[in-house]
Amino acid sequence: MKIGVVTFPGSNCDYDCYKAVQEGLGAEAVYLWHKEHDLQGVDAVFLPGGFSYGDYLRAGAIAAHSPIMREVIAFANDGGPVAGICNGFQILCESGLLPGALIRNRGLKFRSRDVLLRVERAAAPFTTEYTVGEVLRIPIAHGEGCYTAEPETLDALEANGQVVFRYCDREGEATPQANPNGSARNIAGIVNGAGNVLGMMPHPERAMDRALGSEDGLGVFRSVAEFLVPS
């Protein structure tokens, strides 16, 4: 099992993802530089958080046209698992691999804190380690994390079971108060129609150990590992 982590100019969570793969899974991790056209034979790709290209134009807009994205898009279209975290989610939307867009947070403030997420989908390749309805504690750190889409797109995501995570309170209720950024329908993460491309604003790679406050993010990485190398 070999997992690639893409590094763009301005990425700042690539090392976190790299170590999450190495230490959380004991798997091989490689960096994929944004200017390359070689995925090095990886079995899955992670697009990490950060501020790629300084978030100029729009968050993720320039990174979506980086050379490596041609290969990432082809890999995803062939069924390869691709996960975008925070800025990675923004890049996936800008590249057309996921529907909708991430815009400025409600209130226009950067939000950096732990949030609670309700698992809406427990399916390969990203969430088989969870159960539907489970409440997770995972941190966020973003200024443009408000997920938005046309009403018909939101309806389709709901109808097709493509909403993976939803911001919630301790009781698992998706309330306005539990929504840190104004995302439509409290959406925190979605997958594409095929289920092999995940975008989420919270940072599972920062919730890999109880010493860091939570190990609830481990399930994302372990689910990918189980998908790639079934036990």
Side-chain angles (χ1 to χ4, degrees), residues 7-231:
T7 299
F8 300 96
S11 294
N12 64 14
C13 298
D14 45 343
Y15 186 72
D16 301 67
C17 279
Y18 185 91
K19 296 303 287 184
V21 172
Q22 274 194 333
E23 297 182 2
L25 299 180
E28 180 182 2
V30 294
Y31 289 116
L32 303 174
W33 183 235
H34 73 111
K35 285 188 175 182
E36 297 175 353
H37 284 288
D38 181 10
L39 294 186
Q40 301 182 37
V42 300
D43 301 300
V45 174
F46 278 82
L47 304 183
F51 303 91
S52 58
Y53 294 91
D55 279 353
Y56 287 110
L57 298 183
R58 291 181 309 278
I62 298 176
H65 297 281
S66 285
I68 194 70
M69 286 305 296
R70 185 189 309 171
E71 278 62 44
V72 172
I73 291 170
F75 179 76
N77 288 338
D78 285 340
V82 175
I85 300 168
C86 196
N87 188 222
F89 187 6
Q90 296 161 342
I91 295 167
L92 291 175
C93 289
E94 290 287 344
S95 68
L97 283 174
L98 289 176
L102 284 306
I103 61 174
R104 290 293 299 276
N105 293 345
R106 176 185 57 199
L108 306 181
K109 292 184 178 180
F110 188 92
R111 302 293 184 187
S112 179
R113 60 181 176 86
D114 283 357
V115 296
L116 299 177
L117 306 176
R118 187 176 73 207
V119 178
E120 302 286 86
R121 174 188 173 104
F126 302 109
T127 51
T128 50
E129 290 289 310
Y130 302 120
T131 58
V132 172
E134 184 177 355
V135 176
L136 313 176
R137 178 179 295 276
I138 296 180
I140 59 168
H142 57 249
E144 297 180 52
C146 177
Y147 181 74
T148 186
E150 296 292 334
E152 55 269 26
T153 299
L154 294 171
D155 290 341
L157 290 172
E158 301 277 12
N160 297 331
Q162 291 174 244
V163 177
V164 180
F165 300 113
R166 212 182 298 266
Y167 300 111
C168 70
D169 62 19
R170 292 183 180 182
E171 285 69 48
E173 297 296 322
T175 64
Q177 294 76 19
N179 190 333
N181 49 37
S183 287
R185 306 186 188 184
N186 282 45
I187 291 173
I190 62 171
V191 288
N192 65 340
N196 67 300
V197 178
L198 167 72
M200 60 184 298
M201 287 309 298
H203 288 268
E205 79 284 6
R206 297 184 184 180
M208 300 288 287
D209 193 297
R210 289 181 182 176
L212 299 177
S214 174
E215 58 182 2
D216 290 350
L218 268 169
V220 172
F221 293 89
R222 286 177 174 171
S223 296
V224 173
E226 175 65 23
F227 174 76
L228 296 175
V229 186
S231 56

